[in-house]
Amino acid sequence: MKKKRIIVLCLLAIAIVLELLPYGAVLIFGNPDGTRNRETFSYFDLRPYGYANFAPLITAILTSVLLFMFVVYMFNNNAELYKKIKGVSIAAVIVSFMPLLRGLENYSVTGFAISVVLLVVCIVLQLKGFNRLCR
């Protein structure tokens, strides 16, 4: 029972560590000579947000909120809170894949790993009976 809680907590911690690394958010700058320069930043960095790459920062905030909500849920087995956790996890997965809308070059391997970890968290939370097993 507690193993599932620990698994979700570890996955969320892995996602936050990956988001802190400076390899997740991608910005592509054009140079005057016509070449393109690709730079990567942390998901928590404000520079990509300033250049209209909103998804990484929103994903980082949703992951942090998800971690906080899950820790609260571990001590307070509230069914309403669990429904909200599932909703936030779905939103985090959707937003984490949004850089793909701008093209594959705007997506990094670290960003893909973050998306996969959040998708696994979402799937584990959606499993029937997970709420009962965590009690």
Side-chain angles (χ1 to χ4, degrees):
M1 293 181 209
K2 297 208 181 231
K3 289 181 185 177
K4 295 195 186 280
R5 288 183 185 185
I6 293 171
I7 289 170
V8 171
L9 278 177
C10 288
L11 288 172
L12 289 172
I14 289 169
I16 289 183
V17 167
L18 287 172
E19 290 169 353
L20 287 170
L21 294 176
Y23 308 114
V26 177
L27 286 179
I28 298 176
F29 298 102
N31 292 327
D33 59 358
T35 61
R36 297 173 71 159
N37 187 18
R38 183 177 192 260
E39 293 185 27
T40 56
F41 302 92
S42 168
Y43 267 46
F44 289 98
D45 197 344
L46 291 176
R47 282 177 281 186
Y49 191 83
Y51 283 102
N53 191 0
F54 304 113
L57 182 62
I58 295 171
T59 302
I61 291 170
L62 287 175
T63 306
S64 302
V65 168
L66 187 61
L67 178 65
F68 176 75
M69 289 173 70
F70 194 77
V71 168
V72 170
Y73 173 74
M74 285 178 51
F75 296 108
N76 179 10
N77 290 326
N78 186 351
E80 282 297 313
L81 180 60
Y82 187 73
K83 289 179 186 176
K84 292 176 184 176
I85 289 171
K86 290 190 332 185
V88 171
S89 70
I90 292 170
V93 169
I94 291 170
V95 173
S96 71
F97 282 109
M98 280 189 175
L100 284 174
L101 296 174
R102 299 177 66 199
L104 194 57
E105 63 186 6
N106 291 303
Y107 205 58
S108 67
V109 174
T110 306
F112 179 72
I114 292 166
S115 297
V116 168
V117 169
L118 289 174
L119 183 63
V120 170
V121 168
C122 185
I123 289 170
V124 169
L125 291 175
Q126 298 297 329
L127 291 175
K128 185 173 181 164
F130 180 78
N131 189 18
R132 284 183 291 129
L133 292 175
C134 284
R135 290 184 183 174

